[in-house]
Amino acid sequence: MAAPAMIQTSAPPRTARRERRRMKTAWAVMEALHREGVEVIFGVPGGASLPLYDALYDYPQIRHVLVRHEQCAIHMAEGYARATGKPGVCFTTSGPGATNLVTGLTDAMMDSTPVVAITGQVPTFFMGGDAFQEADVIGLTMSITKHNWLVRKPAQALEAVHAAFRLATEGRPGPTLVDLPRDILLTEAEFVFEDPEAFRPARSHRPFPDEALLRQAADMIAQSQRPILYVGGGAIHSGAAPEIRALAEKARIPVTTTLMGLGAFPEDHPYSLKMLGMHGTVYANFAINFSDLIIAVGARFDDRVTGKLSAFAPHAKVIHIDIDPAEIHKNRKADIALIGDAKQVLRALLPFVRPPDTEAWWRQIQDWKARYPLRYRQGDDVVKPQFAIQMIYELTRDYRPIVTLDVGQHQMWAAQFFTWTEPRTCITSGGLGTMGFSLPAAVGAQFGCPDRLVININGDGSFQMTFQALITAVEWRLPIKVFIINNQYLGMVRQWQELFYNRRYCAVYLANPDFARLAEAVGAAGIRVERPDQVEPAIRQALAVTDRPVVVDIRVDPEENCFPMIPSGMTVFDMMIEPGVKAVP
Amino acid sequence: MPHWLAVTVENSVESLNRVFHLLRRRHLPVRDISVCRTEDPETLRLLIPVDPDRVDPQRVSANLEKLLCVRAIEDWGERPIVVRDMALVKVRAPTETWVEIAQLAEFYRARIVDVGPETLIVEVTGSTEKVDSCIARLQRFGVVEVIRAGPMAMVRGQAEAAPAARMAEAA
């Protein structure tokens, strides 16, 4: 059997032509997806969704990527969306197929990722009766989607699908779901196709900030002495990186980003303080906590950023720029709320901005930077995880890779030791912290950006949660580079047990398989690294593999800890730079 | 003083489900939600009294306005409103107590709407405090059952169109 060809770059044409056609609902749904410009769907077929797959057969221009578990399908859709900005699409059947999406939908909700899930449902005449493979998908996913639609008759199908795409991408992006009962999919009806924009749901919109408010914000910036830009994932969704840079440079304001905001401001810029928060840099955390003005852009004062909220940045005023009015005052009271798309708001604000006097502030920040750089010590025998990650960065930076990170210590080290310079190049599960996210997300990102180098930095624990995505990557010959930072532990949990549970290691040791041989068993290349001098050759060897995925199993120091660290619920004054040693402002 | 939000939603069980689901999920401390029919059979008006000391009413409305089933939200804030609550109270009533119950009902401008062999049903309408008070007074006869509609409310003297209609004009 011939393997499927390498993925191609040509997208199907988006068509807005109005036409009236008679067909079964399943075909109408496929036609609607085609008109939405969908080029790839991640999914698994099943009984209730069979009519949809029958229709898919007639749409060869839409590629279907068969996954081995529906959780992979939705994480792939997320990876695709995060890399491209376009909504990712996944298909599942009813019942278990749909319930397997729950983690990914929640993840997409937390990280504001636009995905559209299309789920099969049991026939309408069975619904509510506990039929085989029936689940209350609308009820289950109500709080983890922006909206979901149960299509009860053919006439609702087009509106549901097109509205799902509109809603997923408008305002604050997020997941939507359309539940399609099998009998409806098989019912023939007359459908009127038109410009998908015609199906945009009516929404109320807050008025754009007026000039008086923008001037007030600009005055607040001009009068500040210790301002800081605090940039989150919303800036990336909005495409606001150029405006953030313009604001920082015009007003000479330091910039820190959240995990989700990595890449929104170039970290090789002298104004960058890199990431803040629990494992952020000492200087970013000191800077925000001693600031007198926080300009928050598309960020939500998450507990991983603030630590103890009541003690966070006690002297700072807040200008909060966010597209979602429900984020304003949610965690931290804003002095000025600029509600709207970050890019548009910053563009409107920039002409009014005058630089404050930040000389003394910068001297203070440079002092913190000099005293507390990120660091680790690499010896001769065992590989330090930070060293491995830094080498991956050094040897791949010229390729401008898209990097997916999983969840745990390796995620924090990668956030720290990569120099993130471009939006949409760091794809990780921020809000939900979903272990298993990154490998399928890498597959999705590679489908979205076939010409880019896609790197997956994974943990040994998280790799095993969605390992089966590697099989799909092999099937499609995706040249993804998977680096497993293998410390044979659920490392972050072990670190917490070491630091806060008196080294009582419970249920954290991982009896791992040989990952290199596991990779080879499914048709990927496998490389194992055990010594520091093997790291560089292994990365170069991995980069030379271009016809299939490669897994590099890097055996690292099992008990290396991730620092700096502000323990959960504590303050910047509790920030550890190594066990028992606190950073001093 | 509660801060009133009047939320116009699609008239369906699903939309009620979505609203209640959201309030629960966000742990917003609201109770006493009244579900009211309106002049438009397609919509329901949810009247939500919010205690501003417990939650910022803005936060409640900012979350609710994300729901597609929500057609409009009116923040009544401190505006003057008429509030009417209604209760049916079934009291244990041997014949010798009828006169006394009737007098009490008269005092509250309540009505006796059912006379059974051992019980009377009293219908009382008015402010929430008045309805509370009437039920309290009836307790000594032995209250068998109380059913309340919850407060219905309207802004006094405003001649603008209902929020749902204004939303349609804007669209």
Side-chain angles (χ1 to χ4, degrees):
Chain A
M1 190 192 76
M6 269 289 282
I7 55 179
Q8 293 150 13
T9 51
S10 62
R14 174 185 290 254
T15 167
R17 197 153 36 96
R18 185 183 165 90
E19 64 186 316
R20 186 182 293 268
R21 278 159 66 188
R22 195 167 175 81
M23 57 176 73
K24 286 180 180 167
T25 307
W27 273 259
V29 168
M30 285 311 305
E31 178 62 25
L33 294 176
H34 176 54
R35 282 165 175 260
E36 286 289 351
V38 174
E39 49 184 4
V40 56
I41 293 166
F42 307 96
V44 191
S49 65
L50 275 174
L52 213 47
Y53 278 82
D54 201 22
L56 177 65
Y57 195 85
D58 291 335
Y59 281 83
Q61 63 273 58
I62 300 181
R63 283 163 298 149
H64 180 272
V65 177
L66 180 65
V67 297
R68 270 48 170 183
H69 189 291
E70 292 85 351
Q71 185 182 356
C72 291
I74 184 132
H75 290 330
M76 286 176 192
E78 289 183 273
Y80 175 90
R82 293 272 290 275
T84 65
K86 295 186 283 186
V89 183
C90 60
F91 273 10
T92 77
T93 190
S94 65
T99 58
N100 278 342
L101 295 180
V102 165
T103 302
L105 288 170
T106 315
D107 191 272
M109 194 72 177
M110 289 286 261
D111 287 346
S112 308
T113 307
V115 295
V116 178
I118 310 274
T119 53
Q121 180 54 276
V122 301
T124 50
F125 47 83
F126 280 154
M127 286 177 65
D130 301 322
F132 176 66
Q133 292 196 328
E134 181 184 1
D136 171 23
V137 172
I138 295 298
L140 283 166
T141 62
M142 197 171 274
S143 61
I144 51 173
T145 53
K146 287 182 77 178
H147 190 77
N148 52 20
W149 289 262
L150 172 62
V151 176
R152 293 172 189 278
K153 41 191 179 196
Q156 299 169 337
L158 291 185
E159 180 173 0
V161 172
H162 288 310
F165 276 82
R166 306 271 84 69
L167 194 65
T169 47
E170 80 169 18
R172 179 179 185 170
T176 56
L177 180 145
V178 181
D179 203 23
L180 295 162
R182 195 182 70 200
D183 58 325
I184 302 300
L185 286 171
L186 291 170
T187 302
E188 203 175 281
E190 193 168 85
F191 293 93
V192 181
F193 296 96
E194 53 191 315
D195 184 350
E197 275 301 310
F199 297 96
R200 185 175 289 282
R203 314 289 297 131
S204 64
H205 291 288
R206 298 290 174 104
F208 193 78
D210 61 18
E211 190 179 315
L213 195 60
L214 294 168
R215 282 184 185 279
Q216 210 181 320
D219 288 346
M220 196 176 269
I221 293 170
Q223 285 152 18
S224 68
Q225 295 178 318
R226 300 185 306 279
I228 186 167
L229 265 157
Y230 153 55
V231 176
I236 289 177
H237 296 307
S238 160
E243 288 73 17
I244 287 163
R245 185 173 181 150
L247 174 59
E249 290 179 346
K250 185 169 184 186
R252 297 194 67 234
I253 299 179
V255 184
T256 183
T257 73
T258 67
L259 178 66
M260 293 300 294
L262 290 173
F265 186 76
E267 293 189 338
D268 52 3
H269 192 287
Y271 290 179
S272 171
L273 304 183
K274 294 179 69 77
M275 184 178 77
L276 84 169
M278 181 177 275
H279 293 288
T281 62
V282 171
Y283 40 94
N285 284 320
F286 278 155
I288 199 158
N289 275 284
F290 288 93
S291 69
D292 67 351
L293 175 64
I294 296 172
I295 307 161
V297 184
R300 58 189 174 87
F301 296 91
D302 173 75
D303 58 271
R304 283 302 190 263
V305 160
T306 63
K308 187 179 179 184
L309 192 59
S310 59
F312 176 71
H315 306 297
K317 290 185 174 169
V318 172
I319 298 173
H320 198 166
I321 301 172
D322 206 291
I323 200 163
D324 181 358
E327 284 302 334
I328 308 297
H329 311 316
K330 184 182 83 175
N331 293 330
R332 171 71 179 238
K333 187 112 181 93
D335 296 276
I336 294 180
L338 302 177
I339 299 171
D341 174 70
K343 188 182 187 78
Q344 305 305 332
V345 171
L346 288 170
R347 275 195 177 171
L349 175 65
L350 270 164
F352 303 114
V353 170
R354 304 178 309 281
D357 178 5
T358 50
E359 287 289 318
W361 180 225
W362 273 111
R363 276 198 301 279
Q364 173 65 76
I365 288 170
Q366 297 304 352
D367 173 59
W368 288 326
K369 272 191 164 182
R371 278 162 57 209
Y372 296 108
L374 287 169
R375 60 183 173 189
Y376 62 91
R377 293 179 195 91
Q378 176 61 57
D380 292 334
D381 43 355
V382 62
V383 180
K384 287 290 182 185
Q386 301 95 323
F387 170 72
I389 285 167
Q390 194 165 17
M391 288 304 289
I392 295 167
Y393 168 68
E394 299 292 347
L395 296 175
T396 62
R397 56 187 292 182
D398 291 343
Y399 296 88
R400 296 174 50 233
I402 294 171
V403 186
T404 70
L405 308 174
D406 221 279
V407 173
Q409 286 180 316
H410 73 274
Q411 176 191 35
M412 293 295 109
W413 284 316
Q416 294 172 343
F417 288 97
F418 266 62
T419 299
W420 305 97
T421 56
E422 264 187 85
R424 300 196 180 281
T425 56
C426 177
I427 299 175
T428 189
S429 168
L432 194 63
T434 307
M435 283 178 67
F437 169 85
S438 68
L439 180 58
V443 173
Q446 186 77 85
F447 273 99
C449 303
D451 301 327
R452 297 283 292 265
L453 171 65
V454 176
I455 292 177
N456 170 219
I457 300 181
N458 220 322
D460 46 326
S462 41
F463 177 78
Q464 291 177 82
M465 288 200 175
T466 48
F467 149 75
Q468 62 274 51
L470 188 65
I471 300 167
T472 304
V474 168
E475 184 181 338
W476 288 86
R477 300 190 214 156
L478 305 181
I480 296 169
K481 319 298 175 218
V482 181
F483 295 97
I484 301 176
I485 307 301
N486 179 358
N487 56 12
Q488 294 184 56
Y489 277 117
L490 295 168
M492 191 60 93
V493 183
R494 186 209 57 75
Q495 177 170 339
W496 284 45
Q497 287 179 344
E498 177 187 332
L499 298 175
F500 312 121
Y501 292 87
N502 209 17
R503 297 185 79 100
R504 288 156 57 92
Y505 293 165
C506 185
V508 288
Y509 175 73
L510 291 167
N512 286 328
D514 181 330
F515 292 119
R517 288 177 62 197
L518 186 65
E520 277 165 6
V522 301
I527 302 169
R528 189 205 284 192
V529 171
E530 289 172 314
R531 295 193 318 273
D533 62 337
Q534 295 173 324
V535 172
E536 182 176 339
I539 296 169
R540 292 196 188 283
Q541 195 185 334
L543 287 169
V545 179
T546 54
D547 60 342
R548 65 206 148 122
V550 53
V551 174
V552 185
D553 174 12
I554 308 178
R555 309 287 174 95
V556 298
D557 185 347
E559 299 212 8
E560 182 69 13
N561 285 328
C562 184
F563 290 112
M565 179 179 198
I566 301 176
S568 183
M570 299 181 85
T571 77
V572 71
F573 298 104
D574 306 300
M575 182 165 39
M576 290 188 274
I577 47 173
E578 53 189 90
V581 182
K582 289 179 184 174
V584 184
Chain B
M1 268 290 281
H3 183 116
W4 289 84
L5 297 176
V7 182
T8 304
V9 300
E10 280 170 22
N11 183 356
S12 70
V13 172
E14 188 181 308
S15 66
L16 294 177
N17 187 192
R18 288 182 189 279
V19 169
F20 292 133
H21 199 99
L22 178 68
L23 295 172
R24 180 200 55 76
R25 170 196 169 207
R26 287 287 174 194
H27 298 268
L28 297 169
V30 294
R31 46 193 289 274
D32 291 335
I33 300 175
S34 306
V35 180
C36 305
R37 293 186 178 84
T38 69
E39 71 283 358
D40 175 9
E42 298 294 310
T43 63
L44 297 171
R45 179 91 32 88
L46 307 184
L47 297 172
I48 307 179
V50 178
D51 177 356
D53 293 335
R54 298 193 64 201
V55 63
D56 180 357
Q58 281 277 345
R59 201 169 156 232
V60 180
S61 56
N63 275 289
L64 287 173
E65 75 181 37
K66 294 190 195 189
L67 296 177
L68 286 195
C69 61
V70 170
R71 300 271 182 85
I73 301 177
E74 278 218 333
D75 187 335
W76 287 347
E78 305 288 301
R79 289 160 75 180
I81 53 171
V82 177
V83 182
R84 282 290 176 276
D85 204 341
M86 179 177 169
L88 295 177
V89 188
K90 186 182 278 180
V91 283
R92 223 176 292 284
T95 43
E96 59 269 26
T97 62
W98 285 10
V99 172
E100 211 180 332
I101 292 172
Q103 280 175 345
L104 186 67
E106 176 82 1
F107 184 78
Y108 282 99
R109 292 192 202 168
R111 296 193 301 155
I112 291 163
V113 293
D114 178 70
V115 179
E118 295 163 39
T119 58
L120 297 178
I121 297 179
V122 178
E123 175 207 301
V124 57
T125 307
S127 70
T128 299
E129 296 72 23
K130 174 181 154 186
V131 173
D132 288 345
S133 163
C134 180
I135 295 167
R137 296 285 175 219
L138 288 167
Q139 287 293 351
R140 70 183 179 89
F141 300 101
V143 169
V144 179
E145 191 180 351
V146 175
I147 190 136
R148 292 178 77 154
M152 290 186 287
M154 237 182 218
V155 174
R156 291 177 187 271
Q158 141 187 296
E160 299 159 28
R166 276 191 283 119
M167 181 93 165
E169 279 166 29

